[in-house]
């Protein structure tokens, strides 16, 4: 995480403009920063080149394709992410079945809190997360 920013920087990949706008508002209310937003695979892949974010939230179905190439890139860059999608868990590519999934439709306040919770869990030492502290 970049400690020079106001909070964790989020990369939001969402094809629906209204959902993206609501999510941006709620994410920032939770003390995080929306570093970049993309609605297409092509643009999102370009954004991963800069890596100026700490966590990503991906809608699987984008305007021009599925987000799986972005997910692969994030894994290679060791950037944590979750899916925010209407795609059923059983329909997600097997390679990504263990990635956290927030089901659509969902209240954007809840989604922002879930993101914050995931980031907080990632920031804790492994011993503490395992309940051994």
């Amino acid at each position: 995480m970049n400690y020079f920013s106001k909070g964790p920087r989020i990369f939001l990949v969402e094809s629906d403009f209204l959902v993206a706008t609501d999510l941006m508002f709620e994410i920032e209310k939770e003390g995080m920063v929306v570093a970049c937003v993309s609605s297409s695979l092509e643009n999102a892949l370009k954004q991963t080149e800069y890596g100026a974010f700490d966590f990503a939230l991906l809608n699987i179905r984008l305007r021009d394709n599925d987000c799986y190439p972005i997910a692969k890139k994030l894994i290679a860059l060791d950037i944590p992410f979750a899916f925010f999608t209407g795609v059923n868990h059983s329909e997600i590519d097997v390679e990504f079945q263990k990635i956290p999934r927030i089901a659509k439709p969902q209240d954007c306040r809840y989604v922002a809190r879930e993101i914050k919770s995931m980031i907080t869990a990632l920031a804790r030492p492994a011993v503490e997360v395992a309940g051994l502290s």
Side-chain angles (χ1 to χ4, degrees):
M1 182 180 323
N2 179 350
Y3 294 99
F4 297 105
S5 68
K6 294 180 182 180
R9 296 163 306 159
I10 310 302
F11 178 28
L12 181 56
V13 181
E14 173 57 57
S15 58
D16 184 305
F17 175 78
L18 293 176
V19 171
T21 302
D22 286 348
L23 278 171
M24 288 170 49
F25 177 76
E26 295 299 336
I27 286 168
E28 296 199 352
K29 271 179 45 180
E30 288 294 324
M32 299 172 282
V33 176
V34 178
C36 50
V37 180
S38 182
S39 62
S40 72
L41 174 64
E42 181 181 352
N43 182 268
L45 284 171
K46 287 179 187 174
Q47 294 296 330
T48 61
E49 295 299 321
Y50 305 109
F53 46 88
D54 305 300
F55 187 89
L57 186 67
L58 310 178
N59 183 357
I60 291 177
R61 304 279 188 254
L62 301 175
R63 293 180 188 265
D64 55 351
N65 213 326
D66 289 343
C67 76
Y68 297 126
I70 305 161
K72 287 179 183 181
K73 185 85 179 258
L74 293 172
I75 290 168
L77 295 169
D78 200 28
I79 296 173
F81 66 95
F83 294 124
F84 178 46
T85 185
V87 174
N88 290 326
H89 188 267
S90 62
E91 297 174 58
I92 295 173
D93 279 7
V94 174
E95 180 179 357
F96 303 107
Q97 292 271 321
K98 293 185 179 180
I99 300 298
R101 175 185 165 270
I102 302 169
K104 280 185 176 181
Q106 191 61 257
D107 180 77
C108 290
R109 286 176 293 204
Y110 172 82
V111 176
R113 286 188 215 120
E114 282 296 301
I115 294 168
K116 189 172 187 177
S117 175
M118 287 182 227
I119 291 170
T120 300
L122 290 167
R124 281 191 241 139
V127 174
E128 184 181 329
V129 173
L132 301 174
S133 59

